[in-house]
């Protein structure tokens, strides 16, 4: 069949595009499109070549493994080609893979090894007489680059194999990668120094391995996991891959602990699902999982096709990043008037869902990432985290594009935007006159962790406000079934349920009530802290700045917001009306006099990061037992509770001879004292 001109033209176009992106990715470590967009180009070319086999040539990128080589490193010819993996994306693909294995291997039980697919760089390590003598990148699969000096700087990779029994000559293959924490630190440092940041840990790992000066590589947080062997004497090879990995582990080679053996499609899929769920919590990026036949004899029977073995397959996760166009930037106004820019995107499938909006955080971030309306941008959606824009492609934008500027007036109510230098965020100055702030404050009041009015969603609040059925949150409790029946899309049943939910929400707690009021900087934790301290609303309402600041963890700014809130007549009016309309809470139980508590008179300072407590929780635990928490160490301090990365407070405590309590000591002290209290109460 003759190849249609359109198909021929498209294949030529695709090959040029793929060659360009291959070079950007493999040789220059500066990808211009996402991995998913690159995969899509490859898939399109593969499909074209499948439909018109005449198009297939030996030089097509579909029959080659990787990109070009960087001339700065000398070339290394691999003793055995470094193959790539075929990709699978669905259950069907895995079932096909399994069927193909069964066809070739017959009815014998098939055992597969399942492994995470690390998102880093493949390397080959040659050990002669147990010494690491040469390391190379994969390159095009046949020839790679000699990166021995750089590999020698990676602490994870042994320069001398441990134990004994290793063959005189062997090749380890695995992935060099940059753990996320190290990547984050590296980029933060680059940013502070005004240097270029890396797009993702994979690029950072690639850039680090390709350094001409290995002192630079040494500074980079690189790690390594081995996933197999290259050249290896067949007589020394155990019969299974899983046994070989165990042997390697014994010689000091890092092996990923997340490796399992399975013997069914279901086993593969549950490994996939489990890792997909845990993906956000892993210390490193993975882009899927790999299934490999365990028995080497079976691998030999299966063999390889063009660029990939038939005995393994990569089951890819949905890409966490994708490229799309930024249509516009809207500015949203939150409960406290904070202006947040939000990106409106051309719909794009990423992280398993279609995304149309992404957060842009603030103006500074837009400037730092050089993002403009109309740009092609990389959108990232990792786990259930709100999608965000990672970067733009400035060199692809039209000349006419202009930088984004935040408005000087509120886009909702037109009030002036407060951009005073002491504020880090821009805010609408309209207060509750701004419909956006007004609506958000009602939403906040009704939310689950606040007063918790089940069923009172955004649409209903919109209608209630538009029809002037409520003005403040206190008016919610004056709504009647008759009024509710006039609302659109609220049937009799829902209206009854809403009445019930309103009634139920009347019985609340003091911490919830304080949180629901929406005082600036008073979140759930501070609400609880204030309630614990004052025990009733009246005392809090008349507290002055000094007595507020005396409470641990209440700084001058929160104290000021609290005072200002209770000085506004309209706020006092809303509170009075809420109470008149039946909102109430049970009084907090009487607290024993502080002097009687086991930590009475003891002064604590908490420093560093604790594993089992936030700072607030640690403070609460101390004050509940009568102790006091202060922020700086002095001679009066009795104990310094010391978490990870403690800093100068711990040093000062040592200088002053004050007792340092590590987290476990602190827990022991609390437990002991709690028991004393219980014992005292019982006796
Ligand atoms: S096995 C012939 N196992 O994925 C089989 N590869 O797309 C060779 N990779 O070049 C690879 N984790 O860079 C294998 N557990 C794993 C892997 C893994 C990451 C990378 C490796 C390889 C690429 C193939």
């Amino acid at each position: 069949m003759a190849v249609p001109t359109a198909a021929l033209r498209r294949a030529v176009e695709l090959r040029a595009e793929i060659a360009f992106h291959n070079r950007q990715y493999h040789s220059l470590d500066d990808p211009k499109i996402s991995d998913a967009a690159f995969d899509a180009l490859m898939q399109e070319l593969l499909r074209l070549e499948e439909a018109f086999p005449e198009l297939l040539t030996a030089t097509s990128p579909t029959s080659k493994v990787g990109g070009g080589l960087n001339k700065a490193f000398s070339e290394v010819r691999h003793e055995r080609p470094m193959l790539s993996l075929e990709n699978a994306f669905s259950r069907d693909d895995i079932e096909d893979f399994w069927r193909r294995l069964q066809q070739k291997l017959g009815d014998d039980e098939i055992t597969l090894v399942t492994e995470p697919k690390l998102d880093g760089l493949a390397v080959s390590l040659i050990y002669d007489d147990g010494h690491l003598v040469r390391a190379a990148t994969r390159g095009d699969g046949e020839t790679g680059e000699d990166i021995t000096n750089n590999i020698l700087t990676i602490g994870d990779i042994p320069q001398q194999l441990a134990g004994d029994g290793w063959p005189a000559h062997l090749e380890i293959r695995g992935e060099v990668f940059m753990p996320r924490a190290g990547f984050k630190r590296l980029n933060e440092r680059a940013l502070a120094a005004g240097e270029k940041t890396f797009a993702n840990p994979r690029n950072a790992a690639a850039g680090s391995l390709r350094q001409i000066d290995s002192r630079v590589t040494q500074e980079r947080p690189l790690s390594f996991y081995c996933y197999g062997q290259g050249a290896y004497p067949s007589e020394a090879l155990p019969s299974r891959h899983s046994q070989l990995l165990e042997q390697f582990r014994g010689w000091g080679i890092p092996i990923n602990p997340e490796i399992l053996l399975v013997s069914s499609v279901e086993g593969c899929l549950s490994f996939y699902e489990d890792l997909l769920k845990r993906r956000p919590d892993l210390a490193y990026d993975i882009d899927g999982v790999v299934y490999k036949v365990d028995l080497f004899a079976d691998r030999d029977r299966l063999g390889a096709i063009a660029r990939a073995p038939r005995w393994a397959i990569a089951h890819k996760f949905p890409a966490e990043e994708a490229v799309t166009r930024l249509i516009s930037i809207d500015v949203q106004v939150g409960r406290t008037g904070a202006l947040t820019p939000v990106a409106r995107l051309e719909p794009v499938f990423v992280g398993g869902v279609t995304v149309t909006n992404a957060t842009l955080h603030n103006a500074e971030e837009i400037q730092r990432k050089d993002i403009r309306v109309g740009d092609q941008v990389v959108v990232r959606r990792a786990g259930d985290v709100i999608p965000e824009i990672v970067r733009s492609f400035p060199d692809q934008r039209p000349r006419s594009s202009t930088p984004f500027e935040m408005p000087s007036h509120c886009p909702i109510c037109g009030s002036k935007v407060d951009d005073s230098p002491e504020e880090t965020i821009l805010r609408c100055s309209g207060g509750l006159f701004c419909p956006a702030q007004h609506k958000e404050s009602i939403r906040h009041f009704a939310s689950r962790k606040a007063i918790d009015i089940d069923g009172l969603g955004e649409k209903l609040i919109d209608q209630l406000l538009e029809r002037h059925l409520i003005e403040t949150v206190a008016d919610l409790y004056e709504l009647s079934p008759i009024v509710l029946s006039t609302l659109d899309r609220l049937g009799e049943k829902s209206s009854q349920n809403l009445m019930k939910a309103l009634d139920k929400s009347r019985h609340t707690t003091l911490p919830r009530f304080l949180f629901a009021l929406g005082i600036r900087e008073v979140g759930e934790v501070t609400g609880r802290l204030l309630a614990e301290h004052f025990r009733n609303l009246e005392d809090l309402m008349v507290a002055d700045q000094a007595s507020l600041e005396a409470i641990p963890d209440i700084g001058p700014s929160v104290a000021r917001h609290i005072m200002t809130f209770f000085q506004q007549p309209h706020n006092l009016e809303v509170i009075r009306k809420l109470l008149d309309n039946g909102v109430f809470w049970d009084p907090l139980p009487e607290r024993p006099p502080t002097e009687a508590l086991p930590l009475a008179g003891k002064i604590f300072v908490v420093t560093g990061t604790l594993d089992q407590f936030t700072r607030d929780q640690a403070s609460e635990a101390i004050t509940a037992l009568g102790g006091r928490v202060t922020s700086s160490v002095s001679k009066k301090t009795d104990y310094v509770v010391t978490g990870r990365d403690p800093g100068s407070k711990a040093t000062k405590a040592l200088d002053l001879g004050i007792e340092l309590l590590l987290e476990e000591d602190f827990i022991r002290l609390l437990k002991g004292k709690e028991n004393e209290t219980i014992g005292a109460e019982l006796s």
Side-chain angles (χ1 to χ4, degrees), residues 436-475:
Q437 290 187 57
H438 191 185
K439 177 173 126 185
E440 288 305 317
S441 71
I442 295 172
R443 248 164 49 119
H444 169 76
F445 179 84
S447 64
R448 205 168 46 79
K449 290 183 171 175
I451 281 288
D452 189 15
I453 307 174
D454 195 21
L456 185 66
E458 186 173 5
K459 297 257 157 51
L460 273 182
I461 296 174
D462 277 344
Q463 283 195 61
L464 292 169
L465 285 170
E466 274 161 22
R467 300 183 188 193
H468 301 285
L469 295 172
I470 58 167
E471 185 58 39
T472 74
V473 290
D475 302 331

Side-chain angles (χ1 to χ4, degrees), residues 222-287:
L222 295 173
S223 287
F224 172 80
Y225 275 134
C226 157
Y227 54 64
Q229 83 287 17
Y232 207 89
S234 52
E235 65 282 3
L237 207 58
S239 53
R240 291 176 180 274
H241 173 69
S242 49
Q243 295 165 339
L244 182 66
L245 293 185
E246 270 317 306
Q247 197 171 67
F248 285 167
R249 201 196 299 274
W251 295 340
I253 309 268
I255 306 290
N256 195 320
E258 307 274 359
I259 295 181
L260 286 184
L261 287 172
V262 301
S263 47
S264 66
V265 169
E266 291 316 317
C268 291
L269 296 177
S270 74
F271 180 77
Y272 173 92
E273 290 300 334
D274 174 57
L275 266 195
L276 181 59
K277 214 180 300 141
R278 292 195 291 120
R279 184 187 197 184
D281 307 321
L282 294 178
Y284 42 78
D285 278 2
I286 58 175
D287 57 351

Side-chain angles (χ1 to χ4, degrees), residues 83-85 115-118 122 138 175 227 290 292 309 311:
L83 297 181
S84 183
L85 290 169
E115 301 175 3
K117 185 171 188 301
L118 289 158
R138 183 176 64 168
E175 198 87 344
Y227 54 64
V290 185
K292 302 173 179 174
W311 45 261

Side-chain angles (χ1 to χ4, degrees), residues 302-318:
L302 287 156
I305 33 165
R307 58 203 273 268
R310 285 203 195 88
W311 45 261
I313 200 159
H315 191 178
K316 300 280 285 247
F317 288 155

Side-chain angles (χ1 to χ4, degrees), residues 309-423:
R310 285 203 195 88
W311 45 261
I313 200 159
H315 191 178
K316 300 280 285 247
F317 288 155
E320 286 186 321
E321 291 187 0
V323 176
T324 188
R325 204 176 72 87
L326 174 60
I327 304 170
S328 63
I329 298 178
D330 286 355
V331 175
Q332 283 181 347
V333 183
R335 173 169 66 87
T336 59
L339 301 190
T340 314
V342 178
R344 306 289 179 213
L345 304 165
E346 251 164 36
V348 61
F349 192 72
V350 55
V353 298
T354 301
V355 166
T356 50
N357 302 317
T359 175
L360 285 165
H361 302 288
N362 53 46
E364 199 228 311
E365 167 134 335
I366 299 179
Q367 199 185 11
R368 182 168 60 76
K369 291 184 177 166
D370 189 10
I371 294 168
R372 295 186 185 181
V373 171
D375 277 357
Q376 290 294 116
V377 290
V378 175
V379 183
R380 181 175 175 82
R381 182 183 180 272
D384 288 332
V385 179
I386 300 170
E388 61 169 358
I389 293 187
V390 184
R391 65 192 195 112
S392 66
F393 298 101
D395 29 349
Q396 287 179 26
R397 68 167 61 119
R399 283 208 187 159
S400 56
S401 93
T402 50
F404 173 77
E405 276 183 38
M406 287 292 271
S408 58
H409 288 79
C410 171
I412 308 294
C413 73
S415 302
K416 206 170 150 8
V417 167
D418 180 4
D419 59 355
S420 45
E422 64 267 21
E423 277 274 15

